[in-house]
């Protein structure tokens, strides 16, 4: 069964075609980062206009590249929440048009949950193995780390998420963006900080610099051992002050320390969530999972603690994209879920 996914919740316009919730037939994606970079954040009006300009072109690309036509598409899944209202409306309108013209059923998708379905799009594993291991049976933990969310869920079933840990102030991606701004680096901040942190790490490994006692405070020591919520604003303020108080310290070292402490906090919360729930499979998703230091630390953590942690195998699948929407759409549609043409989009996480 082939499904089309439409994603336009924030600053990526993306459409994807997926077979049976597993096989990516085509992913078309336009990133608006360049248009927002000078504002150091997403400007909603610019985002909506850019979605409108690109979305039809991306649909054409999907169809021409895959050689499919509408008669072969079983459902059209669309990000319905959460996101920027004007941006969500563009994707929603395309789904409605396709439904009206071709009679293809609409499936509305929570795009945060779609991030947690992306691990099922493991084409390599599916192509190379005769015997396919079931991927992340329910219930499992969902770890979502993006520009707007740092959350832990118990993922009980499709469309059934229990929030057990949440963003108290800045989400992790947002904290990376703000830290980069404090350090005079570009936008988005995550990749910039990772790049600079790598340079510092290489200097230490090669011996050209000596490792020093961290300047940024180890915030974790003072926090309760059962904490599941995420707070990064204290770390951000510590960085701001340290930068003023220690002007001779290199930007690369600040990046390294900021990244290390953030990752430590993520690992602590996930450890607490595993302990609290007894659930030993974690599925991670969202833009911050593009960070290789984070994914390496997650792998190490999984080995040390005998748990399974799955995350997107490819950086492009960490970011907002149409194939994750088509993937989740498949699981909802095969459960019998479809939506009426007058569905409403929403900025909220809860329907
Ligand atoms: O999920 P996502 O693509 O979209 C939104 O939430 O809108 O996440 C974007 C966030 C940005 O804050 C960006 O700085 C962060 O993901 N990010 C990273 C990395 N790549 C992107 N954070 C840390 N390290 C990275 N390599």
């Amino acid at each position: 069964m082939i499904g089309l996914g439409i994603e336009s919740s924030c600053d990526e316009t993306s459409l994807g075609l997926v077979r049976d919730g597993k096989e990516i037939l085509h992913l078309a994606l336009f990133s608006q980062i360049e248009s927002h970079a000078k504002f150091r954040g997403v400007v909603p009006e610019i985002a909506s206009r850019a979605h409108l300009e690109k979305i039809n072109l991306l649909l054409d690309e999907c169809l021409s590249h895959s050689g499919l036509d509408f008669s072969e598409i079983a459902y059209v899944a669309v990000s319905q929440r959460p996101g920027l209202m004007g941006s969500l409306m563009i994707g929603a309108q395309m789904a409605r048009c396709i439904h009206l013209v071709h009679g293809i059923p609409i499936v509305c998708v929570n795009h945060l949950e779609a991030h947690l379905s992306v691990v099922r799009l493991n084409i390599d594993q599916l192509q190379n193995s005769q015997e396919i291991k079931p991927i992340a049976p329910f219930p499992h933990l969902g770890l979502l780390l993006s520009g707007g969310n740092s959350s832990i869920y118990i993922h009980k079933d499709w469309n059934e998420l229990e929030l057990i840990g949440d963003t108290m102030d800045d989400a992790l991606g947002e904290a990376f963006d703000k830290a980069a701004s404090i350090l005079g680096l570009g936008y988005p901040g995550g990749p910039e900080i990772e790049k600079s942190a790598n340079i510092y790490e290489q200097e230490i490994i090669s011996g050209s610099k000596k490792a020093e006692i961290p300047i940024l405070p180890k915030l974790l020591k003072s926090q309760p051992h059962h904490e599941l919520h995420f707070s990064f604003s204290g770390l951000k303020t510590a960085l701001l002050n340290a930068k003023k108080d220690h002007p001779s310290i290199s930007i690369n070292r600040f990046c390294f320390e900021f990244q290390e402490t953030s990752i430590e906090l993520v690992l602590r919360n996930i450890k607490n969530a595993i302990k609290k729930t007894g659930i030993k499979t974690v599925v991670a998703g969202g833009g911050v999972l593009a960070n290789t230091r984070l994914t390496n630390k997650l792998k190490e953590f999984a080995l040390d603690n005998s748990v399974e942690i799955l995350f997107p195998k490819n950086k492009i699948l960490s970011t907002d994209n149409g194939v994750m929407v088509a993937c989740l759409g498949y699981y909802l549609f095969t459960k019998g879920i479809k939506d009426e043409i007058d569905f409403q989009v929403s900025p909220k996480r809860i329907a």
Side-chain angles (χ1 to χ4, degrees), residues 10 115 146-148 173-174 176-177 188-191 194 286-288 290-291 319-320:
C10 190
H115 275 299
S146 69
E174 187 183 359
F176 268 95
D177 293 339
E194 183 178 11
V288 183
N291 186 298
T319 197
D320 293 340

Side-chain angles (χ1 to χ4, degrees), residues 52-155:
L52 198 52
E53 271 172 27
K54 294 290 176 194
I55 202 158
N56 290 334
L57 301 174
L58 297 179
L59 177 61
D60 281 350
E61 179 191 319
C62 270
L63 295 174
S64 61
H65 193 280
S66 64
L68 295 167
D69 66 44
F70 284 109
S71 65
E72 294 164 277
I73 295 175
Y75 62 91
V76 52
V78 60
S79 282
Q80 178 256 342
R81 71 180 197 280
L84 302 169
M85 285 298 278
S87 292
L88 288 166
M89 281 179 196
I90 310 290
Q93 207 55 12
M94 172 171 267
R96 291 183 187 115
C97 289
I98 292 173
H99 174 71
L100 276 176
V101 176
H102 301 283
I104 301 174
I106 298 171
V107 183
C108 288
V109 157
N110 169 350
H111 108 266
L112 302 182
E113 187 177 17
H115 275 299
L116 302 178
S117 74
V118 101
V119 295
R120 286 155 213 273
L121 290 167
N122 190 341
I123 14 180
D124 290 344
Q125 186 196 356
L126 294 168
Q127 282 171 352
N128 297 337
S129 134
Q130 293 288 353
E131 201 186 330
I132 299 162
K133 188 171 155 253
I135 300 167
F138 292 115
H140 55 254
L141 293 173
L143 171 67
L144 188 75
L145 300 171
S146 69
N149 293 274
S150 325
S151 322
I152 303 178
Y153 296 94
I154 301 177
H155 203 177

